[in-house]
């Protein structure tokens, strides 16, 4: 009867003598009705069995009551009461040696399981290190006594019965253990709170590491750009072709070896930044703002400056090589003409200064006068060469030739000597003319010989000079022009040979007259130094130079043909690779817009597509090799293609960057889908609507397109005219949001617009669109939740102590909190109190950490 009163909470009637059994049955029925009202099913248990003292039925009923009110409410990770209680015991005793809880009978015989439960939650009550597994009686009594004295758990079991029984009663031990569970249920809440804090802090620590990695990678890339741009902007010319060729080779190494890894780093930096921002957004953290000057836009601007400097540098190198090539040709031409002129003027000044006419005979004087006239004719013929030498020197100065001082000195010496020759020639003519009246005889044949031999000799010297002159051509047409000119020159050789024979005929006639009339001419022509032997020697030299010139022109023609093959070979490959890159760029754009399968299928498709693109790299390398051959052959234009190697490189780099960015966008969509709980069908519906209104396939929506997209997803704007046009202004958009459940004023409307377009660019990206659609239903941690968890750990205090943090949290995260929490300054503060409220708001950007 007492037991039934305790269960029901009602005062039962005391049975009178003679009516004891009836009243007892009535009282027991009331208790059984109350138990049944609490959801306890009593099978085959009646009041009569209880009143008659049926021990088996009575014990069964008591166990049912215990199971309902003491054990049934226990639940760990959605398990049954018994399994949940067993799982709780296993977790709490896992760190203790010699304890292995597998059931509710023999696992508890040594008493260490009970002692471990007490020590886990109240370590000050039991010195667990002194317990021994071979002394179960002591262990059990210790646990029972401590539980009764300090935990208010009645001593329901007897230590001797447990030790002396092969298999202790499972229900009795289970009932007793449930008392420990209810006694320590408050600690379970603290453990849950600690787990939540650990999760939040782990996310924060991971994000901080990603921020540090971004800062370091951005600093390294900007430092490399800062070092490289001055090198590319250096326009200090070199004096020799070899030095400029070395600069060109260094630039090629930069293009092939140094720049490609930096392109990958830049791409990886943007991917890391987007991934970090996505993680911060998904964990309800404030957006990451890099250090000043290290934004993605700053790096893009610096990269643009690098490419601008790079483009101008290559053009400058090629122009400098052309300039040095031209300078070398002019310098060689100057030296050749100067040597010929100096050879001609050698001894002329001494000749003009002779006084031989003072002791000469009349015939000798007349001969000297005629000789001087021939010299003047020769001098006039050399005037063009002197002017050419001066013109070449002037051009070398204008082109900033590195050895201009020596060229100028030599040119000045030639000009001064030429002026002196002119003065000396005039002076000698005047002297000869003064004595001309004394001369009456002159050999007309010698004079005629001299007059015809001098220009012919000059023609031969010019021909030899032209035949030995170097030439530079860049096209087949140019070499064909030189060949035509050479053929025209060869056509004049028969007439020149006739002139040579005529000149030699004059000399033979002079010799005949001398022999016939025994004229004392000393065997020389007084009017010229050109002998028939000299004419024959130069003529023979001209004939030898002609086939050499033929050979040189043939070799150059063959070289130009080879250059033309290189142009066609490069053009054929470039005309295939260029359109292929453009096609792949368009296909990537279509892939990013079209929806085929799940996001994971799209991601796998993109990665396979990326692999096929990377496999195309050998063809790019082959084209680079052909381009190097073209540059080494000094080929500067190509009429067979509109593509340059620079176009191909830029297109290839853009293709790799585009596929990497597209893959990253899909990865971020997967992160958003999983974190926000968006189904694949919802994601497909969002993507289909977005793509439908993205008519220019730019990957973004304008304001009007965004409004129309919202309407297509079922948001009623409430205006028939607008339903027909599919467009909304700002007021209509606000009405649309209100119809979706957003009741807002002007300020709230402006906040929503700033979320979808925070930078006020006038466009809405797909990621911002997805974030907006899923933001209101997202299950994310908040500052209030973290604050509530800390309050549980602190025992409902407004502050928390260092000891409490270290007891409830893992060591690394406990120290993380201690290092960042500000001291608590409230009225109830104690020494060492920490302010967990300001720390919680700082984690979510609501205050400074």
């Amino acid at each position: 009867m007492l037991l039934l009163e305790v269960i029901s909470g009602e005062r039962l009637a005391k049975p009178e003598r003679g009516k004891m059994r009836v009243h007892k049955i009535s009282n027991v029925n009331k208790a059984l009705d109350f138990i049944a009202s609490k959801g306890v099913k009593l099978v085959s248990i009646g009041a009569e069995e209880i009143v008659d003292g049926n021990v088996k039925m009575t014990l069964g009923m008591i166990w049912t009551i215990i199971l309902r009110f003491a054990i049934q409410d226990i639940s760990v990770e959605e398990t049954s009461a018994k399994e949940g209680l067993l799982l709780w015991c296993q977790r709490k005793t896992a760190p203790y040696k010699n304890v292995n809880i597998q059931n509710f009978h023999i696992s508890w015989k040594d008493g260490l399981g009970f002692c471990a439960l007490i020590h886990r939650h109240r370590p000050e009550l039991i010195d667990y290190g002194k317990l021994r597994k071979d002394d179960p009686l002591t262990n059990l009594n210790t646990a029972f006594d401590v539980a009764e004295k300090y935990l208010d758990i009645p001593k329901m079991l007897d230590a001797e019965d447990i030790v002396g029984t092969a298999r202790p009663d499972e229900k009795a031990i289970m009932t007793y253990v449930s008392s420990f569970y209810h006694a320590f249920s408050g600690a379970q809440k603290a453990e849950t709170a600690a787990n939540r804090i650990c999760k939040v802090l782990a996310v924060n620590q991971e994000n901080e590491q990603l921020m540090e990695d971004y800062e370091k990678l951005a600093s390294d890339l900007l430092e490399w750009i800062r070092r490289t741009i001055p090198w590319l902007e250096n326009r200090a010319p070199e004096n020799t072709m070899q030095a400029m060729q070395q600069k060109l080779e260094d630039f090629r190494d930069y293009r092939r070896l140094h720049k490609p890894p930096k392109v990958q780093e830049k791409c990886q930096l943007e991917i890391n930044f987007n991934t970090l921002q996505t993680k911060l957004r998904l964990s309800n953290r404030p957006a990451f703002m890099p250090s000043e000057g290290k934004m993605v836009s700053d790096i893009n601007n610096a990269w643009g400056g690098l490419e601008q400097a790079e483009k101008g540098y290559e053009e400058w190198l090629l122009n400098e090589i052309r300039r040095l090539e031209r300078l070398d040709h002019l310098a060689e031409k100057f030296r050749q003409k100067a040597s010929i002129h100096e050879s001609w003027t050698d001894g002329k000044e001494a000749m003009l200064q002779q006084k031989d006419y003072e002791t000469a005979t009349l015939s000798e004087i007349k001969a000297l006068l005629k000789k001087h006239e021939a010299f003047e004719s020769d001098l006039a013929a050399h005037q063009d060469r002197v002017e050419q030498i001066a013109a070449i020197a002037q051009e070398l100065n204008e082109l900033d030739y590195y050895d201009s001082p020596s060229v100028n000195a030599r040119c000045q010496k030639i000009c001064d000597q030429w002026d002196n020759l002119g003065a000396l020639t005039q002076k000698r003519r005047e002297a000869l003319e003064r004595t001309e009246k004394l001369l009456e005889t002159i050999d007309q044949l010698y004079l005629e010989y001299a007059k015809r031999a001098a220009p012919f000799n000059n023609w031969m010297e010019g021909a030899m000079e032209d035949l030995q002159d170097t030439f530079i051509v860049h096209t087949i047409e140019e070499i064909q022009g030189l060949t035509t000119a050479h053929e025209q020159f060869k056509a004049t050789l028969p007439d020149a040979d006739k002139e040579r024979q005529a000149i030699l005929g004059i000399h033979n006639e002079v010799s005949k007259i001398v022999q016939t009339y025994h004229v004392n001419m000393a065997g020389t022509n007084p009017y010229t130094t050109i002998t028939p032997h000299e004419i024959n020697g130069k003529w023979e030299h001209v004939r030898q130079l002609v086939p050499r010139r033929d050979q040189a022109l043939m070799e150059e023609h063959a070289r130009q043909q080879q250059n033309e093959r290189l142009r066609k070979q490069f053009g054929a490959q470039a005309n295939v690779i260029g359109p292929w890159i453009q096609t792949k760029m368009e296909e990537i754009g279509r892939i990013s817009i079209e929806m085929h399968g799940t996001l994971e299928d799209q991601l796998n498709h993109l990665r396979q597509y990326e692999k096929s693109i990377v496999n195309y790299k050998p063809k790019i390398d082959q084209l680079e090799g052909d381009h190097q051959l073209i540059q080494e052959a000094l080929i500067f234009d190509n009429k067979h293609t509109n593509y340059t190697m620079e176009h191909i490189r830029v297109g290839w780099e853009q293709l790799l960057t585009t596929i990497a960015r597209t893959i990253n966008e899909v990865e971020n969509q997967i992160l958003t889908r999983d974190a926000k709980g968006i189904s694949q069908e919802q994601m497909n519906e969002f993507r289909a609507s977005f793509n439908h209104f993205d008519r220019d396939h730019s990957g973004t929506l304008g304001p009007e397109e965004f409004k129309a997209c919202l309407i297509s997803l079922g948001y009623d704007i409430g205006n028939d005219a607008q339903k027909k046009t599919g467009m909304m202004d700002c007021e209509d958009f606000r009405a649309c949001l209100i119809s979706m459940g957003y009741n807002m004023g002007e300020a709230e409307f402006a906040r929503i617009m700033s979320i979808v377009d925070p930078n006020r660019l006038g466009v809405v990206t797909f990621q911002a669109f997805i974030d907006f659609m899923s933001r209101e239903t997202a299950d994310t941690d908040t500052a209030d939740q973290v604050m509530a968890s800390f309050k549980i750990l602190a025992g409902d205090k407004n502050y928390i102590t260092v000891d409490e943090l270290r007891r409830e949290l893992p060591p690394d995260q406990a120290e993380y909190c201690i290092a960042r929490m500000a001291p608590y300054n409230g009225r109830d503060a104690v020494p060492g109190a920490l302010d967990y409220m300001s720390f919680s708001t700082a984690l979510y950007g609501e205050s400074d950490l």
Side-chain angles (χ1 to χ4, degrees):
M1 182 175 175
L2 179 59
L3 175 63
L4 298 179
E5 286 180 346
V6 172
I7 294 174
S8 64
E10 299 179 0
R11 188 68 176 175
L12 301 179
K14 210 170 193 180
E16 298 177 0
R17 291 184 179 271
K19 297 182 180 179
M20 291 291 289
R21 177 176 175 77
V22 175
H23 286 294
K24 287 179 181 181
I25 291 174
S26 176
N27 290 338
V28 171
N29 280 327
K30 288 182 178 181
L32 294 178
D33 293 338
F34 175 80
I35 293 171
S37 69
K38 295 299 181 179
V40 180
K41 295 182 179 180
L42 299 176
V43 181
S44 302
I45 299 177
E48 292 79 5
E49 285 84 359
I50 302 299
V51 172
D52 294 338
N54 188 325
V55 176
K56 183 176 180 180
M57 290 293 184
T58 303
L59 291 176
M61 184 189 69
I62 293 174
W63 169 246
T64 302
I65 294 171
I66 293 173
L67 187 63
R68 168 61 183 85
F69 294 101
I71 299 176
Q72 183 174 332
D73 293 333
I74 298 175
S75 178
V76 178
E77 295 186 356
E78 302 180 357
T79 61
S80 65
K82 178 179 179 181
E83 291 174 345
L85 183 61
L86 182 62
L87 180 60
W88 178 81
C89 295
Q90 290 172 342
R91 287 184 176 178
K92 294 300 180 180
T93 59
Y96 294 86
K97 63 180 181 178
N98 296 328
V99 177
N100 183 18
I101 304 300
Q102 298 297 328
N103 47 58
F104 286 106
H105 38 82
I106 60 175
S107 295
W108 303 87
K109 285 190 65 175
D110 56 8
L112 292 177
F114 296 108
C115 294
L117 286 177
I118 297 172
H119 185 268
R120 177 64 183 270
H121 296 91
R122 298 288 299 275
E124 73 278 8
L125 299 180
I126 292 179
D127 187 357
Y128 188 85
K130 294 183 179 181
L131 300 176
R132 294 184 304 157
K133 186 174 180 65
D134 57 355
D135 190 7
L137 197 60
T138 301
N139 298 338
L140 289 168
N141 285 323
T142 300
F144 296 162
D145 294 338
V146 169
E148 184 177 33
K149 182 176 181 181
Y150 297 101
L151 303 178
D152 294 327
I153 297 175
K155 193 174 183 180
M156 304 178 185
L157 304 175
D158 183 78
E160 287 78 8
D161 290 342
I162 294 175
V163 174
T165 304
R167 177 187 172 95
D169 183 79
E170 182 178 29
K171 295 179 179 179
I173 292 179
M174 188 174 174
T175 302
Y176 188 64
V177 171
S178 67
S179 301
F180 285 92
Y181 174 87
H182 291 295
F184 297 134
S185 61
Q188 182 67 26
K189 295 181 181 179
E191 181 179 354
T192 302
N195 289 337
R196 177 181 290 274
I197 294 173
C198 291
K199 175 184 175 183
V200 172
L201 295 179
V203 170
N204 220 57
Q205 289 171 319
E206 180 184 1
N207 291 340
E208 287 181 357
Q209 184 61 45
L210 290 174
M211 294 175 189
E212 293 175 3
D213 294 342
Y214 173 88
E215 290 284 338
K216 183 178 185 304
L217 187 57
S219 299
D220 293 344
L221 185 58
L222 288 172
E223 177 61 20
W224 178 81
I225 294 175
R226 184 191 65 78
R227 293 195 312 269
T228 305
I229 288 180
W231 174 67
L232 293 174
E233 292 177 343
N234 181 16
R235 299 295 190 272
E238 298 292 342
N239 294 330
T240 64
M241 279 285 289
Q242 182 179 3
M244 288 306 298
Q245 288 285 4
Q246 183 58 47
K247 276 195 171 185
L248 182 60
E249 187 62 28
D250 293 342
F251 183 72
R252 289 175 184 153
D253 290 341
Y254 158 79
R255 276 280 183 80
R256 292 194 305 264
L257 304 176
H258 304 304
K259 185 182 177 184
K262 297 303 177 181
V263 172
Q264 295 296 327
E265 290 181 12
K266 176 176 175 293
C267 179
Q268 188 61 44
L269 188 70
E270 295 178 1
I271 292 173
N272 291 351
F273 180 84
N274 294 335
T275 301
L276 174 59
Q277 296 293 48
T278 300
K279 288 186 176 182
L280 289 172
R281 184 170 59 254
L282 295 179
S283 60
N284 203 21
R285 304 301 197 275
F288 169 56
M289 286 295 295
S291 302
E292 184 176 358
K294 297 180 182 178
M295 295 286 292
V296 172
S297 59
D298 297 328
I299 294 173
N300 287 335
N301 291 336
W303 191 264
L306 175 72
E307 293 187 334
Q308 187 64 31
E310 176 182 317
K311 179 179 179 182
Y313 187 74
E314 183 176 22
E315 183 178 354
W316 173 78
L317 281 176
L318 296 176
N319 289 335
E320 277 299 303
I321 290 174
R322 293 191 189 100
R323 185 181 70 85
L324 289 176
E325 185 181 29
R326 172 69 175 162
L327 285 175
D328 288 346
H329 173 66
L330 288 175
E332 180 61 26
K333 192 171 184 179
F334 173 85
R335 287 190 290 269
Q336 193 176 68
K337 288 183 177 292
S339 298
I340 294 173
H341 177 78
E342 289 167 350
S343 176
W344 178 83
T345 58
D346 184 35
K348 293 295 189 293
E349 291 176 301
M351 180 195 72
L352 293 172
Q353 292 174 346
Q354 287 179 355
K355 304 283 186 181
D356 52 345
Y357 56 86
E358 295 179 351
T359 59
T361 63
L362 180 60
S363 60
E364 290 173 345
I365 290 301
K366 287 187 175 290
L368 288 175
L369 183 59
K370 296 301 181 182
K371 180 180 179 181
H372 189 71
E373 289 176 357
F375 173 76
E376 286 180 327
S377 177
D378 199 12
L379 186 68
H382 279 78
Q383 177 68 32
D384 289 338
R385 181 176 287 112
V386 175
E387 291 176 356
Q388 290 175 5
I389 291 173
I392 293 173
Q394 178 65 25
E395 188 172 0
L396 287 172
N397 279 278
E398 291 174 354
L399 293 177
D400 197 22
Y401 182 55
Y402 78 97
D403 200 21
S404 293
S406 64
V407 170
N408 293 336
R410 190 172 184 181
C411 181
Q412 187 63 44
K413 182 179 178 181
I414 290 173
C415 291
D416 292 343
Q417 186 185 40
W418 184 255
D419 293 339
N420 189 37
L421 284 174
L424 291 174
T425 300
Q426 183 64 28
K427 184 178 179 180
R428 184 172 177 82
R429 166 170 281 282
E430 292 172 355
L432 291 174
E433 286 178 349
R434 286 193 301 265
T435 60
E436 186 180 10
K437 294 178 181 180
L438 302 175
L439 302 177
E440 296 177 351
T441 306
I442 189 169
D443 191 345
Q444 293 296 328
L445 290 175
Y446 268 133
L447 182 59
E448 184 181 358
Y449 174 87
K451 288 183 177 180
R452 295 182 70 173
F456 184 72
N457 181 68
N458 190 57
W459 176 85
M460 287 192 297
E461 288 180 349
M464 289 188 292
E465 183 179 342
D466 291 339
L467 290 172
Q468 296 179 87
D469 189 17
T470 58
F471 52 83
I472 298 177
V473 295
H474 298 288
T475 64
I476 290 288
E477 291 76 12
E478 292 177 359
I479 191 61
Q480 289 174 346
L482 289 177
T483 303
T484 301
H486 183 63
E487 292 299 326
Q488 293 173 353
F489 168 76
K490 288 195 296 182
T492 65
L493 290 179
D495 293 336
D497 190 38
K498 291 179 181 179
E499 178 66 13
R500 180 184 66 85
Q501 292 179 5
I503 293 172
L504 293 178
I506 294 174
H507 183 271
N508 292 334
E509 187 176 353
V510 170
S511 299
K512 183 178 180 181
I513 293 173
V514 169
Q515 293 175 5
T516 302
Y517 297 100
H518 305 289
V519 178
N520 185 17
M521 299 300 295
T524 60
N525 189 335
Y527 306 113
T528 183
T529 59
I530 301 173
T531 65
H533 178 74
E534 200 173 285
I535 290 176
N536 288 329
K538 291 183 178 179
W539 176 255
E540 187 63 28
H541 191 201
V542 169
R543 291 183 61 189
Q544 293 174 358
L545 289 175
V546 168
R548 295 180 189 174
R549 185 74 168 184
D550 289 336
Q551 181 65 27
L553 290 173
M554 290 175 60
E555 291 175 354
E556 182 61 26
H557 190 272
R559 190 175 75 87
Q560 289 303 323
Q561 287 180 329
Q562 175 62 21
N563 289 351
E564 185 67 12
R565 284 194 293 272
L566 289 176
R567 290 188 183 97
K568 291 181 179 179
Q569 181 176 336
F570 178 85
Q573 293 187 70
N575 289 336
V576 172
I577 293 176
W580 180 87
I581 290 176
Q582 182 63 31
T583 300
K584 292 303 177 183
M585 290 287 288
E586 295 172 357
E587 290 177 358
I588 291 173
R590 289 197 299 271
I591 291 174
S592 64
I593 293 175
E594 297 173 354
M595 295 179 298
H596 296 292
T598 65
L599 290 176
E600 286 77 6
D601 295 337
Q602 297 178 30
L603 183 60
N604 292 333
H605 185 196
L606 285 171
R607 285 175 174 162
Q608 293 174 0
Y609 205 79
E610 181 185 33
K611 184 177 180 181
S612 69
I613 291 175
V614 172
N615 290 337
Y616 202 78
K617 183 64 165 58
K619 294 188 178 180
I620 303 296
D621 295 337
Q622 181 181 357
L623 191 63
E624 283 281 6
D626 292 342
H627 178 65
Q628 182 172 350
L629 292 176
I630 284 178
Q631 289 195 327
E632 290 173 351
L634 300 179
I635 300 173
F636 303 109
D637 53 11
N638 193 342
K639 64 183 179 181
H640 301 291
T641 181
N642 293 325
Y643 292 99
T644 66
M645 197 63 226
E646 178 63 21
H647 293 152
I648 299 299
R649 292 192 192 104
V650 171
W652 178 252
E653 292 170 0
Q654 289 179 348
L655 179 61
L656 294 178
T657 302
T658 300
I659 187 64
R661 286 176 177 168
T662 304
I663 290 174
N664 180 248
E665 289 176 0
V666 175
E667 290 174 340
N668 286 340
Q669 290 176 26
I670 292 174
L671 287 175
T672 302
R673 181 199 65 191
D674 295 341
K676 301 295 185 177
I678 302 175
S679 67
Q680 185 64 44
E681 290 75 14
Q682 288 176 308
M683 185 66 75
N684 290 341
E685 181 183 5
F686 293 156
R687 170 55 82 180
S689 298
F690 190 91
N691 290 343
H692 176 75
F693 291 98
D694 182 17
R695 295 182 174 87
D696 57 359
H697 305 297
S698 62
T700 61
L701 297 181
E704 298 301 327
E705 294 172 334
F706 177 58
K707 297 170 188 175
C709 183
L710 288 177
I711 295 175
S712 72
L713 290 174
Y715 297 108
D716 186 9
I717 304 303
N719 187 312
D720 293 339
Q722 291 162 346
K723 290 179 182 177
K724 294 177 181 178
T725 62
M727 308 299 289
M728 295 186 290
D729 57 17
C730 292
E731 292 299 325
D732 298 325
F733 179 48
R734 181 174 58 182
C736 173
L737 293 175
I738 292 173
S739 72
M740 293 165 58
Y742 296 102
N743 186 10
M744 64 194 81
E746 293 293 335
E748 179 65 12
F749 176 68
R751 185 188 72 81
I752 295 297
M753 292 302 295
S754 67
I755 290 174
V756 296
D757 184 16
N759 297 323
R760 300 182 182 275
L761 301 177
V763 295
V764 179
T765 66
F766 182 69
Q767 189 63 46
F769 176 70
I770 291 299
D771 289 344
F772 173 75
M773 298 301 294
S774 60
R775 187 181 301 276
E776 297 303 319
T777 59
D779 183 15
T780 58
D781 296 316
T782 64
D784 291 339
Q785 290 175 327
V786 175
M787 246 187 287
S789 298
F790 272 117
K791 192 165 187 177
I792 292 174
L793 298 186
D796 288 335
K797 300 191 296 292
N798 292 326
Y799 59 86
I800 194 167
T801 65
V802 172
D803 291 339
E804 289 171 336
L805 286 172
R806 288 175 175 163
R807 185 180 69 229
E808 301 295 343
L809 298 180
D812 58 335
Q813 296 186 342
E815 298 303 324
Y816 178 86
C817 294
I818 293 169
R820 287 165 174 74
M821 280 189 183
Y824 177 73
N825 298 321
R827 294 182 179 179
D828 55 342
V830 299
L834 299 176
D835 187 356
Y836 62 79
M837 295 183 182
S838 63
F839 175 77
S840 299
T841 57
L843 285 176
Y844 292 86
E846 300 176 12
S847 64
D848 295 332
L849 185 59

